[in-house]
Amino acid sequence: MFLSSSVGALGVSLSLYILFRKWQFRQRAQGCSLPPSRPARFLLGHALEIPTENEARVFQQWAEELGSDIYYIDAAGTPIVVLNTIELANELFEGRSAIYSSRPGSIMMNDLMGWDWVMSNMPYGQSWRERRKLFQQHLHPSNRGIYEPYEQEQVNRLLARLLDDPQGFLTHARHVVGGLALTLGYGLNVKAHNDPHVEVATAATKAVTDAAVPGAFFVDFIPALRYVPEWFPGAGFQKKARIWKGMMEEMRDRPFEDVEAKIASGIPARPNFVSAAFDKLDPSKDVPHQRQVIRDTAGMIFAAASDTTTSVIQTFFLAMVCYPQVQRRAQEELDRVLGGRLPEVKDEPDLPYISAMVKEVLRWRPATPIGIPHLSTSDDIFKGYFIPKGTIVIPNVWAMLHNPEVYPNPDEFNPDRYLKDGAFDPLVRDPGTMAFGFGRRTCAGAHIAESMLFLTIASVLSAFSISKPVDENGKPVDVKPEYNRGIISRPVPFESFITPRSAEVARTIRNLQESDSA
């Protein structure tokens, strides 16, 4: 009886809350209408229709159905606006950055799972600025000497792992990225297999990217549900949040505490972000606060790289399986320019086709197909439409990067689309202007990611041939580009056949491996 009464009272309270929210919007609309929208239910609006897989493609289809590149979703009283073109995204996130630079306060992800410390999730304000400033002080694009040697080291290790275990290429991609993040952030080395830091980061970031999908958890639309106890019917999200929060804390705190202990005991460590930040710590100011900012910024380096860059490298392997002609063209350029040696970052200006491949990998299957949502911090009138304060604004990056007017035959992997007469065509939009975010919230580490992608792609294709797997009869097996759900998209595990291009390159990799372990 008590349980039945509690459920009924909760239902009435939630209904009144939703009605009040909608009444507020109408009062503030100043006679303007909301953007175009699909037919909605009385209370829930479109909450039950919001996709939890293939979100970007569904959002693109809705734009086509409505005949509008901007439209409105009512998620049980929570306003959502979806943008499907780069022009609209730039008008809001660049031209009106004072209003559209914040982030939604996800109850599930930030409050229950504890991810409110990550710079990409933070609202625009002092805490965000502190962490971004600290990152740029140490890892600015001009400080190439800090991160490029570590990139070279990790890529050399990737080549050795591919030589020893070619079938583990998807796992090796995680380790090369995790290795760079751990070394750069903390001065720690990654174990060759099943590194505990990398494994917990993989589990923790998978959980948070699943939780970040708009509509994945109803508590994000009806915040009062956060107070429902774990034992209450339908409150299974509370148990998930508790388990996932433990993963997050281990990922963020364990490597930080490891390097902090080394600093305290005077054990010499490789140059790294945490040590450098502690060297510049101001003892006259709030030391615990400064420590927290350092910890959070280092954790952001680890978390961001562990998922997005890993996804892009795995997509590169998938593209090479599906488009062998692109691989041959790339290897022709590498052989002609390098003459058989392995590439270095400094070779990038002489390898335009490889650089174009980096752009196409970012575009073809973007790691964040719907982008990280922004939040409006005041009421706004945009193109005659009313956008209420507190609106979640989603940039549909997939639609932007698969616009056939900008990228003809967008489903085809074609690096040539960026080149004209052997040089970059300035008339073709760089996918990085969309793949790495917008306005003030553009990814602070985009330059490191692109540099790492170039070196990885150039090195792997210099050393190895990647082809379709074969069946028991030795016949090639087709591989379809399939991706999982989540705000960060990863290829569904697939097979490939990876072999060294020559005995000489295999010896070169072995020599690199021996010098690395010496």
Side-chain angles (χ1 to χ4, degrees):
M1 186 70 176
F2 168 76
L3 183 60
S4 177
S5 299
S6 299
V7 172
L10 179 61
V12 171
S13 299
L14 293 178
S15 298
L16 291 173
Y17 169 79
I18 294 169
L19 288 171
F20 177 70
R21 291 265 291 175
K22 295 183 179 183
W23 176 82
Q24 279 187 316
F25 298 156
R26 286 196 297 269
Q27 293 298 306
R28 305 201 310 264
Q30 304 175 30
C32 294
S33 62
L34 295 163
S37 186
R38 293 161 57 84
R41 298 172 185 265
F42 170 60
L43 277 176
L44 297 181
H46 308 98
L48 301 180
E49 301 175 46
I50 297 175
T52 56
E53 58 183 27
N54 295 321
E55 304 90 350
R57 299 195 193 205
V58 173
F59 287 157
Q60 187 179 30
Q61 291 171 4
W62 287 1
E64 294 170 358
E65 292 172 9
L66 292 167
S68 176
D69 289 321
I70 177 174
Y71 58 84
Y72 177 80
I73 297 173
D74 172 9
T78 296
I80 299 175
V81 166
V82 180
L83 309 174
N84 287 275
T85 67
I86 180 62
E87 290 78 16
L88 290 171
N90 283 340
E91 283 189 66
L92 286 187
F93 302 144
E94 296 275 0
R96 305 188 186 201
S97 59
I99 299 175
Y100 294 98
S101 292
S102 200
R103 295 291 196 206
S106 168
I107 301 299
M108 181 67 179
M109 182 169 59
N110 291 355
D111 297 351
L112 299 181
M113 294 172 60
W115 283 83
D116 55 333
W117 57 273
V118 177
M119 191 161 61
S120 59
N121 294 342
M122 283 184 165
Y124 187 76
Q126 181 60 27
S127 294
W128 176 83
R129 283 190 288 267
E130 283 181 313
R131 287 153 179 80
R132 183 150 181 132
K133 180 180 179 181
L134 184 63
F135 179 92
Q136 291 180 324
Q137 283 177 343
H138 295 276
L139 296 171
H140 191 270
S142 61
N143 297 337
R144 300 172 69 94
I146 294 176
Y147 56 87
E148 286 183 355
Y150 288 153
E151 290 176 348
Q152 189 74 61
E153 174 185 286
Q154 294 302 324
V155 170
N156 289 347
R157 292 181 180 180
L158 170 64
L159 299 181
R161 290 173 183 141
L162 288 173
L163 193 62
D164 292 335
D165 177 23
Q167 294 306 310
F169 65 99
L170 294 174
T171 300
H172 303 333
R174 284 206 313 268
H175 276 77
V176 69
V177 176
L180 175 62
L182 280 171
T183 307
L184 193 59
Y186 307 99
L188 302 175
N189 287 323
V190 148
K191 295 181 180 179
H193 300 286
N194 301 320
D195 183 90
H197 294 304
V198 174
E199 294 301 316
V200 74
T202 300
T205 53
K206 182 183 186 307
V208 74
T209 55
D210 287 348
V213 176
F217 292 95
F218 222 55
V219 67
D220 283 329
F221 300 145
I222 306 176
L225 291 175
R226 65 183 294 181
Y227 301 110
V228 175
E230 190 174 307
W231 54 263
F232 200 82
F237 67 91
Q238 294 280 21
K239 180 178 180 180
K240 288 183 178 180
R242 175 171 52 81
I243 295 171
W244 290 345
K245 184 176 183 179
M247 294 178 182
M248 175 280 297
E249 290 174 340
E250 185 178 1
M251 182 210 73
R252 180 194 62 189
D253 298 344
R254 194 161 148 195
F256 178 77
E257 290 168 356
D258 284 351
V259 69
E260 193 176 35
K262 288 184 178 180
I263 294 171
S265 60
I267 299 175
R270 307 181 71 186
N272 64 83
F273 167 82
V274 171
S275 296
F278 269 116
D279 285 343
K280 294 185 178 181
L281 190 144
D282 187 345
S284 66
K285 295 181 179 179
D286 187 343
V287 172
H289 175 72
Q290 293 179 76
R291 176 186 180 276
Q292 182 179 348
V293 172
I294 295 170
R295 181 204 67 182
D296 292 353
T297 307
M300 183 275 299
I301 296 170
F302 191 24
S306 295
D307 222 7
T308 52
T309 308
T310 296
S311 171
V312 179
I313 291 177
Q314 291 175 341
T315 289
F316 153 68
F317 281 102
L318 178 59
M320 293 303 92
V321 171
C322 297
Y323 293 88
Q325 72 278 13
V326 171
Q327 181 178 177
R328 288 193 294 271
R329 171 79 182 277
Q331 289 172 334
E332 288 171 4
E333 179 181 77
L334 290 163
D335 293 344
R336 173 170 44 81
V337 173
L338 303 180
R341 67 173 174 85
L342 291 175
E344 301 174 30
V345 176
K346 67 180 182 181
D347 294 315
E348 185 171 1
D350 299 322
L351 297 168
Y353 193 78
I354 300 297
S355 297
M357 286 182 67
V358 172
K359 297 182 185 299
E360 188 69 341
V361 168
L362 292 171
R363 185 205 68 83
W364 183 59
R365 293 292 186 273
T368 52
I370 62 169
I372 300 177
H374 290 232
L375 182 77
S376 64
T377 53
S378 66
D379 290 345
D380 190 24
I381 305 297
F382 178 65
K383 295 188 178 298
Y385 298 127
F386 174 60
I387 300 180
K389 176 182 178 179
T391 296
I392 297 171
V393 185
I394 296 176
N396 189 350
V397 172
W398 174 274
M400 299 174 196
L401 294 174
H402 286 76
N403 184 343
E405 295 181 3
V406 180
Y407 305 105
N409 300 316
D411 289 332
E412 180 183 352
F413 187 90
N414 178 21
D416 274 316
R417 68 175 78 245
Y418 308 100
L419 302 174
K420 184 177 182 180
D421 299 326
F424 280 101
D425 185 348
L427 300 179
V428 180
R429 188 182 295 275
D430 184 350
T433 60
M434 293 158 274
F436 290 110
F438 303 89
R440 299 178 186 178
R441 303 309 293 250
T442 301
C443 175
H447 56 289
I448 299 176
E450 290 193 283
S451 175
M452 184 65 171
L453 289 173
F454 168 81
L455 188 60
T456 300
I457 290 173
S459 298
V460 170
L461 292 184
S462 291
F464 295 95
S465 293
I466 306 168
S467 57
K468 296 178 181 179
V470 296
D471 61 19
E472 61 275 8
N473 298 317
K475 293 184 178 180
V477 178
D478 286 336
V479 175
K480 295 182 179 180
E482 296 180 346
Y483 282 71
N484 61 10
R485 66 184 295 276
I487 198 167
I488 295 180
S489 181
R490 312 174 194 84
V492 171
F494 62 96
E495 295 182 354
S496 71
F497 191 61
I498 301 176
T499 56
R501 296 183 65 200
S502 68
E504 183 179 353
V505 77
R507 284 193 295 271
T508 299
I509 294 171
R510 290 292 182 216
N511 291 337
L512 288 172
Q513 188 178 23
E514 291 174 3
S515 62
D516 181 47
S517 59

